Amino acid sequence: MQAIVFDEFGGPDVLVARALPRPELRPHDLLVRNAAIGVNRADVAHRKGAYGRAHFGDADTMGLEIAGTVVEAGPQVQGFAVGDRVMGIVGGGAYAEYSRIDHRMAMPVPPGLALADAGAVAEVFVTAHEAMFHLARLQAGESVLVHAAAGGVGSAAVQLAHAAGARVFATASADKREAVAGFGADVFIDHRGEDFQAAVARETAGRGVDVVIDFIGAPYLERNLRSLALGGRLVVVGLLGGAEAAPLPMDLLLFRHLQIFGTVMKSRPPAVKQAMVQRFAARWLPALADGSIRPVIDSRYPLSQAAEAHRRMESGRSVGKILLLPDAS
């Protein structure tokens, strides 16, 4: 099968196509012929050396997210059979024509959702659900501020919050205003031209929002806390702006009864990741089936052009997910 590998850390050009054997099936695995592969920021970090080695996780190849058709099932698989359309999260090995996936990390692709689109669902929607609903306990009638709302997880978070009946504040660059509003944002904030803390204070009459979902990290920490209402919850999902923050204003935490959570999927134990997938599926697969929520796709590249897909992600111009298509290579 064709797969994407790299022999040294570096820029997108280190990614090359190479013929590799199909992955060996384990008792709980499905072998999937991939129709679409999601590109994630974790893949870019992996390529640059953030995890210390090229062979990290569950496979010798990179990639975390797939959608395709089951071609073989292990003896301990339950709920899936050869020929089923599935989507889900793998511990590595997505950048290939075939991937193995533990069946407990897989979800059925709802009728009406194309396989070529389903590759844009699992990683971002599961992460968004975990952050907003499992950790931050967002409820209908509450308000949430979603940063980087034009990205993969951000666009998913806006949709889920809107569908759940929350008031959604969203930050992104001004050129992405229309797209983000289309995801369901009630208040758009241009992160380059506006101070989001001031915008939240203005729009909430000084009360603040109940939840903040943040991908930026250190530069936003204090303003995030000052944007929260009494009893508010901050969930940190990414560190795009850096990890070293100024001293934390502890008086805000204490007197405003705030909570801060951090979440990341890649390094979690298998049982934890399985539970995350299953929580999302139980609540939201019907909404995917009826179109209430939808994968947002920025662009599609043949698998052999993985380097171009990484360049697109690093450009900062994308809105939604970037996909690799094995059949187009």
Side-chain angles (χ1 to χ4, degrees):
M1 68 174 186
Q2 185 187 59
I4 300 299
V5 301
F6 59 97
D7 298 318
E8 59 184 6
F9 300 125
D13 287 337
V14 303
L15 300 177
V16 295
R18 187 172 298 161
L20 294 179
R22 292 186 187 183
E24 294 183 7
L25 212 60
R26 299 162 303 189
H28 287 282
D29 283 342
L30 304 169
L31 182 64
V32 177
R33 178 173 174 81
N34 294 330
I37 299 155
V39 177
N40 292 282
R41 290 197 177 276
D43 304 341
V44 174
H46 186 179
R47 189 202 76 220
K48 292 180 175 180
Y51 308 122
R53 58 193 188 278
H55 297 171
F56 179 88
D58 196 37
D60 289 345
T61 50
M62 68 192 311
L64 302 174
E65 181 177 22
I66 62 169
T69 304
V70 176
V71 297
E72 191 177 346
Q76 296 182 31
V77 166
Q78 299 179 14
F80 296 98
V82 172
D84 286 351
R85 302 185 329 143
V86 298
M87 58 187 179
I89 297 168
V90 297
Y95 281 34
E97 290 182 296
Y98 292 86
S99 297
R100 66 184 182 190
I101 180 171
D102 188 304
H103 75 277
R104 294 162 293 190
M105 295 292 290
M107 297 175 281
V109 176
L113 180 60
L115 275 177
D117 294 342
V121 171
E123 181 79 16
V124 295
F125 277 98
V126 170
T127 299
H129 172 83
E130 190 72 8
M132 283 196 302
F133 299 104
H134 184 65
L135 294 177
R137 309 177 306 282
L138 181 69
Q139 302 292 320
E142 290 191 319
S143 55
V144 58
L145 170 62
V146 178
H147 289 300
V153 181
S155 62
V158 171
Q159 289 189 69
L160 294 182
H162 175 76
R167 187 185 186 203
V168 185
F169 294 70
T171 69
S173 57
D175 59 310
K176 298 172 182 175
R177 178 187 299 268
E178 184 176 349
V180 172
F183 304 150
D186 299 290
V187 179
F188 178 87
I189 303 167
D190 173 10
H191 75 91
R192 293 193 180 105
E194 299 180 77
D195 179 344
F196 70 80
Q197 180 189 337
V200 166
R202 181 182 68 246
E203 295 291 336
T204 63
R207 175 187 180 276
V209 294
D210 299 292
V211 173
V212 175
I213 305 298
D214 179 49
F215 306 89
I216 308 304
Y220 279 14
L221 177 60
E222 183 170 350
R223 283 187 290 159
N224 280 335
L225 294 178
R226 294 190 183 281
S227 296
L228 284 170
L230 189 70
R233 292 85 73 193
L234 165 64
V235 185
V236 180
V237 185
L239 299 171
L240 293 174
E244 298 297 325
L248 186 69
M250 296 298 293
D251 57 328
L252 289 178
L253 286 178
L254 183 65
F255 295 113
R256 297 186 66 78
H257 309 288
L258 305 181
Q259 299 178 62
I260 302 175
F261 301 90
T263 184
V264 64
M265 182 180 291
K266 185 177 177 70
S267 58
R268 305 293 285 277
V272 174
K273 292 193 284 189
Q274 291 161 17
M276 292 168 70
V277 170
Q278 291 159 17
R279 281 192 288 267
F280 166 78
R283 179 166 181 178
W284 294 108
L285 282 186
L288 273 171
D290 68 20
S292 300
I293 61 173
R294 57 186 173 82
V296 178
I297 298 169
D298 173 80
S299 50
R300 309 172 196 263
Y301 294 84
L303 177 61
S304 59
Q305 294 180 18
E308 290 302 317
H310 277 222
R311 289 189 186 94
R312 175 69 180 174
M313 173 160 281
E314 291 181 295
S315 75
R317 298 192 301 269
S318 59
V319 175
K321 291 287 293 188
I322 300 167
L323 295 177
L324 298 174
L325 307 180
D327 289 341
S329 296

